[in-house]
Amino acid sequence: MREKINRLAEGNYEYEQSRVIVTPEVLDWNHVTKQVYQTSLVISNEKRHLMKGIVTTHAPEITIDPVNFRGVDSTIVVSVDMERVKPGENFESVLQIISDCGNEKVSLCIPKESVKAEASGHQIEDLSQFVSLVQKDIEAGVKLFDTPAFRDGLLAKDAQKQAIYDGLRASAGRKNALDNFLVSIGKKKPVTIAVEQVYRQYDACREAFQDEISITKNTWGYEEFQICSDASFLRIENEHITTEEFVGDRFVCKYEIDPEQMVMGKNYARIEIKNTRQTIKISVVAVKPGVQHEKAQKNRREQRTLCQMLKRHLAFCMNRLPLQDYLQEMDQLLQGSGLEKNSTRLQLYRIHLAIMEHQADVVTKGLNSLEEQAEELRKEHPERYAGFCYLKGIWTDDESVKEECIRQIRDCYEETGQDAQVLWCLLYLDPELQSEKKKFTTILEQLTDGCYSPIFYLEICQILNDTPKYLTELSEVIVQALHWGCKNHFIEKETALRYVYLAGRLRQYSAGVLEDMTLLYDRYPEDEILTVICKMLMRGQITTKDAFVWYERGVNHNLKITELYE
């Protein structure tokens, strides 16, 4: 200001403003780091006067040092962070110089060099060349795929491909990641395999022998496959293979069948060849000769009889079979069962039926006969011994004898690892299990441990029908029991509505629960059940023809469900 006052006092008047000069006209940018470019410029004016001002910009990537200047020649350092600029693109912006000699704009245009992708001494310019490289040399392709040049060069202008690359880059298998990337961006077809036979049968297997599976693939690329067998008599030679082991488009997988690990008669196995995209299942049936057909037929007849007896017992317990019909049909089944006349199982069944018919002589004689075998039975068949104690306990009027029977059954229950058959004996004899709550929790523990007996499903449903308040959650085993009850129409209305309420609170779609809801609706056509059915179908995004039958019912019943009409 003093300089200007002195100049005016001396009579030096300037009627034109001095023009601002920025040098150099073409800026030379230097790489300070990989992503930061830097240059310097000098601000002056035509008349070489002292000047001051500021340099500004709207671009956050630009750093100016210093922002304020004063002098005849002022040097300004400009730095630009190019991290967000894609390789091959330009960064463009403007610097605004505001001074007492006037204003000036400096346009910036900085090109960011493209990242060059090279492999095997050759520059790869696009993805098509990269695909050709992978077909010829997958190792070189994987090496380039793992370099920053691949992402920042070949994928520089495609954010979607970069996102796919970043997701697959984190996976463990490099060759798998590369192949999945090329499949995801549509540069190749996924590798799939096929076999000629999915069923194989071997008759008269007397000695160990080998056979093979011819596996073919559909196209080039890299994939890994697991090959496994679910039977000990069938051993796979190569449990893990890759497409690199194929000769052309074919791989021969060998396996061995060992009769030493087989039982007499038919033996079943399944070979699975699988990866993340597909699973091929091959069924194998191998027959070991020497089976005693009469014995096998007898065992099958016994199993069929036991199955029929179980059905009659369940029907009787659900009050669908009168007592006299039940006793008559059970007696007929035992006569044709094929069980040996003096077998303990047949004796136990006969005594049980005699107790129900109040045939004291038959019961007493049968119990006395088993009493003589009790010690041997305890050692060899503890579950049958528990059955004997159960029958003895429900028949006797002597409380001390009954208590001893309960104690013996409890011991068997612990010795057998909490066997389900032994637990059934306790359910009807042990006073501790006469409480519905205690019985309910005990049976649930048995089911949780892997028991799938319909007898216990019946007990659970019976307890819930009597006391619906015990149904507070839909655990896996409770759903299994309720599913049995729905299929057999053994769920009372109050229990059904409580099941429906809990089903409506499920956050995930469940096909099993949905089936139960449809069965309950057939029996109890309530809008509450129909609402849950529609909501579950919508939650699972089911749009089949059958599903729209339920949607139509919901619309016709004017159900207040969001998006039902859509």
Side-chain angles (χ1 to χ4, degrees):
M1 180 62 73
R2 179 177 296 177
E3 180 184 353
K4 185 177 291 187
I5 293 173
N6 290 336
R7 191 169 64 248
L8 294 173
E10 293 174 358
N12 295 326
Y13 299 100
E14 294 181 0
Y15 297 100
E16 292 183 2
Q17 195 174 35
S18 180
R19 187 173 65 86
V20 176
I21 300 173
V22 179
T23 57
E25 293 183 0
V26 179
L27 300 177
D28 183 21
W29 294 92
N30 300 315
H31 291 263
V32 179
T33 64
K34 184 178 180 181
Q35 300 294 345
V36 178
Y37 291 29
Q38 192 175 85
T39 190
S40 61
L41 51 89
V42 177
I43 303 174
S44 60
N45 59 81
E46 288 179 322
K47 298 183 179 180
R48 307 294 296 169
H49 288 166
L50 182 69
M51 62 184 293
K52 63 180 179 179
I54 62 173
V55 183
T56 64
T57 182
H58 294 294
E61 294 88 354
I62 298 177
T63 303
I64 302 169
D65 184 30
V67 175
N68 301 291
F69 64 88
R70 185 176 185 277
V72 177
D73 296 307
S74 300
T75 301
I76 305 297
V77 177
V78 181
S79 303
V80 180
D81 187 351
M82 302 284 283
E83 183 176 0
R84 296 183 181 180
V85 182
K86 296 179 180 179
E89 295 185 355
N90 295 335
F91 172 79
E92 297 181 356
S93 187
V94 175
L95 296 179
Q96 182 76 36
I97 302 173
I98 305 172
S99 73
D100 53 4
C101 289
N103 300 335
E104 186 70 26
K105 291 183 179 180
V106 179
S107 297
L108 305 181
C109 183
I110 311 171
K112 186 171 183 179
E113 294 181 1
S114 299
V115 179
K116 296 181 180 180
E118 294 185 358
S120 302
H122 300 287
Q123 186 168 326
I124 306 299
E125 297 181 357
D126 54 37
L127 286 173
S128 297
Q129 292 184 1
F130 176 70
V131 172
S132 299
L133 171 67
V134 174
Q135 282 185 269
K136 295 176 183 177
D137 187 354
I138 191 172
E139 298 293 344
V142 170
K143 187 175 180 181
L144 176 57
F145 184 72
D146 281 339
T147 62
F150 183 84
R151 185 188 191 280
D152 298 335
L154 298 183
L155 310 179
K157 299 182 180 180
D158 196 325
Q160 184 178 4
K161 288 185 176 66
Q162 286 183 339
I164 295 172
Y165 174 83
D166 292 338
L168 294 171
R169 183 80 170 75
S171 59
R174 312 311 313 133
K175 294 179 181 179
N176 257 334
L178 169 58
D179 192 84
N180 288 333
F181 174 78
L182 294 179
V183 171
S184 299
I185 65 174
K187 289 295 182 181
K188 69 178 291 291
K189 294 181 179 179
V191 176
T192 58
I193 58 172
V195 298
E196 294 179 354
Q197 295 176 303
V198 293
Y199 177 82
R200 298 179 172 217
Q201 180 165 336
Y202 302 95
D203 298 319
C205 301
R206 292 183 173 84
E207 297 180 356
F209 63 94
Q210 281 193 341
D211 201 352
E212 58 187 37
I213 305 169
S214 179
I215 306 172
T216 57
K217 63 176 183 175
N218 65 327
T219 186
W220 67 274
Y222 181 85
E223 271 295 349
E224 298 179 359
F225 297 91
Q226 302 294 331
I227 308 177
C228 60
S229 164
D230 63 355
S232 59
F233 72 85
L234 195 154
R235 293 189 290 270
I236 306 295
E237 185 176 291
N238 303 94
E239 295 185 345
H240 178 270
I241 64 171
T242 70
T243 47
E244 292 180 335
E245 299 174 58
F246 281 61
V247 178
D249 64 348
R250 185 172 180 268
F251 176 82
V252 176
C253 173
K254 295 182 179 180
Y255 60 90
E256 181 182 27
I257 291 181
D258 183 7
E260 292 294 328
Q261 301 294 324
M262 296 163 59
V263 297
M264 295 293 184
K266 288 185 177 181
N267 295 260
Y268 298 89
R270 183 169 60 190
I271 300 173
E272 284 192 358
I273 309 172
K274 58 185 177 180
N275 69 348
T276 55
R277 286 195 178 93
Q278 69 176 133
T279 299
I280 295 177
K281 297 178 181 180
I282 303 172
S283 298
V284 178
V285 179
V287 180
K288 184 176 182 178
V291 62
Q292 300 176 8
H293 294 290
E294 291 184 2
K295 184 177 180 181
Q297 290 176 354
K298 181 181 178 182
N299 290 337
R300 284 195 294 270
R301 187 165 61 250
E302 288 181 7
Q303 292 300 319
R304 283 196 296 267
T305 299
L306 292 176
C307 182
Q308 292 299 321
M309 290 174 65
L310 176 60
K311 289 181 179 180
R312 301 298 191 281
H313 176 76
L314 293 174
F316 173 71
C317 292
M318 291 188 287
N319 295 321
R320 296 174 185 174
L321 186 64
L323 176 60
Q324 291 304 319
D325 292 345
Y326 169 72
L327 294 172
Q328 183 179 354
E329 292 182 17
M330 290 290 278
D331 184 64
Q332 291 175 354
L333 287 171
L334 289 175
Q335 289 180 13
S337 65
L339 292 171
E340 294 181 9
K341 186 176 181 180
N342 296 323
S343 70
T344 53
R345 279 202 298 173
L346 183 59
Q347 286 181 282
L348 290 171
Y349 293 139
R350 290 291 187 192
I351 294 171
H352 190 232
L353 294 178
I355 291 175
M356 297 180 71
E357 294 182 286
H358 304 287
Q359 297 178 352
D361 293 341
V362 177
V363 174
T364 303
K365 183 179 178 181
L367 290 177
N368 291 337
S369 175
L370 290 176
E371 188 75 55
E372 298 173 359
Q373 313 169 42
E375 187 174 345
E376 181 181 353
L377 202 62
R378 174 68 184 268
K379 293 180 181 179
E380 296 183 2
H381 301 287
E383 72 284 352
R384 297 183 191 179
Y385 178 74
F388 161 68
C389 293
Y390 161 73
L391 295 174
K392 184 178 178 180
I394 62 174
W395 180 253
T396 185
D397 293 327
D398 190 333
E399 288 299 322
S400 61
V401 174
K402 181 177 292 187
E403 289 178 3
E404 177 62 21
C405 289
I406 295 172
R407 188 185 67 79
Q408 293 288 342
I409 297 174
R410 285 175 181 168
D411 291 344
C412 290
Y413 186 56
E414 296 301 326
E415 291 172 7
T416 57
Q418 300 184 340
D419 182 80
Q421 297 180 63
V422 180
L423 175 61
W424 185 87
C425 298
L426 280 176
L427 289 179
Y428 297 98
L429 198 61
D430 192 342
E432 293 183 6
L433 294 176
Q434 300 312 301
S435 161
E436 281 195 338
K437 186 65 176 177
K438 178 65 175 177
K439 181 188 290 188
F440 184 70
T441 54
T442 303
I443 294 175
L444 286 183
E445 289 174 2
Q446 187 67 230
L447 294 175
T448 304
D449 288 341
C451 178
Y452 298 97
S453 172
I455 291 179
F456 287 134
Y457 292 156
L458 170 72
E459 294 292 340
I460 290 291
C461 292
Q462 183 66 64
I463 293 171
L464 293 178
N465 284 335
D466 293 339
T467 316
K469 68 179 181 179
Y470 289 158
L471 183 56
T472 57
E473 62 175 353
L474 294 182
S475 64
E476 183 179 354
V477 292
I478 289 181
V479 169
Q480 290 172 2
L482 290 172
H483 181 65
W484 179 90
C486 291
K487 291 182 69 174
N488 289 276
H489 307 294
F490 195 61
I491 301 294
E492 300 297 334
K493 186 172 182 178
E494 186 178 352
T495 306
L497 293 178
R498 196 169 184 88
Y499 184 15
V500 171
Y501 169 74
L502 293 174
R505 295 169 61 90
L506 292 176
R507 295 185 178 182
Q508 295 180 343
Y509 169 76
S510 171
V513 174
L514 176 62
E515 182 184 353
D516 292 346
M517 295 299 104
T518 60
L519 292 170
L520 292 176
Y521 185 78
D522 291 339
R523 191 175 182 193
Y524 310 112
E526 302 281 343
D527 282 356
E528 182 180 350
I529 303 177
L530 182 58
T531 299
V532 172
I533 292 173
C534 291
K535 285 184 176 180
M536 290 196 73
L537 287 169
M538 294 168 66
R539 190 176 300 130
Q541 298 182 350
I542 309 301
T543 56
T544 61
K545 184 178 180 180
D546 292 338
F548 277 100
V549 173
W550 292 105
Y551 294 145
E552 184 179 5
R553 287 183 184 176
V555 172
N556 293 336
H557 283 246
N558 297 316
L559 299 183
K560 308 301 182 186
I561 303 175
T562 305
E563 298 183 356
L564 174 61
Y565 289 82
E566 287 76 6

